[in-house]
Amino acid sequence: SSGINAEWPLRPGDECPEPTNPNVWLEELPPKFCGVLPFKGRAHPQEKERSEELLRGLDDAGIKHDGKWRVAQFNPPWCIPMLRYNEIIVDLVDYVEPPQPQE
């Protein structure tokens, strides 16, 4: 394994062709809650400072996480860096969504 994974999330109802390459597969994952830190500009494989900021913020808020962060990049490579939208994402552990206020 090269240590690099790529994911393309699909919305419910989206269709995707069956992969022809044995190194590519489709996998349905259950919904989960994640902590997210958005940022603009170029994303680098080792976003250590931003990931530490996200993990520290979750720790300070008392929100449990698995500590395994990843980078999500939403724009094509030719997009101007200052217009790029990216996120640092970490899965939350035992998180229960707080009740929404009733209107």
Side-chain angles (χ1 to χ4, degrees):
S1 169
S2 68
I4 297 175
N5 293 317
E7 297 178 6
W8 286 271
L10 302 174
R11 295 178 302 243
D14 283 353
E15 293 187 23
C16 183
E18 285 296 319
T20 56
N21 182 320
N23 294 319
V24 176
W25 65 92
L26 299 177
E27 182 178 5
E28 187 169 343
L29 302 173
K32 58 186 164 187
F33 287 101
C34 299
V36 174
L37 177 66
F39 66 97
K40 291 188 177 199
R42 289 195 184 275
H44 301 281
Q46 296 299 320
E47 287 289 349
K48 188 165 176 52
E49 288 179 22
R50 288 185 176 112
S51 65
E52 288 173 351
E53 178 183 351
L54 173 58
L55 298 177
R56 189 172 42 254
L58 292 169
D59 289 341
D60 291 349
I63 299 173
K64 292 187 230 174
H65 54 82
D66 67 6
K68 298 174 188 171
W69 57 272
R70 57 197 180 277
V71 177
Q73 300 178 67
F74 293 88
N75 302 101
W78 56 83
C79 183
I80 299 170
M82 67 182 163
L83 299 178
R84 291 183 183 185
Y85 177 82
N86 311 288
E87 296 174 343
I88 302 289
I89 304 172
V90 64
D91 293 345
L92 303 183
V93 175
D94 299 328
Y95 182 79
V96 177
E97 184 176 21
Q100 299 297 314
Q102 298 294 326
E103 291 185 18

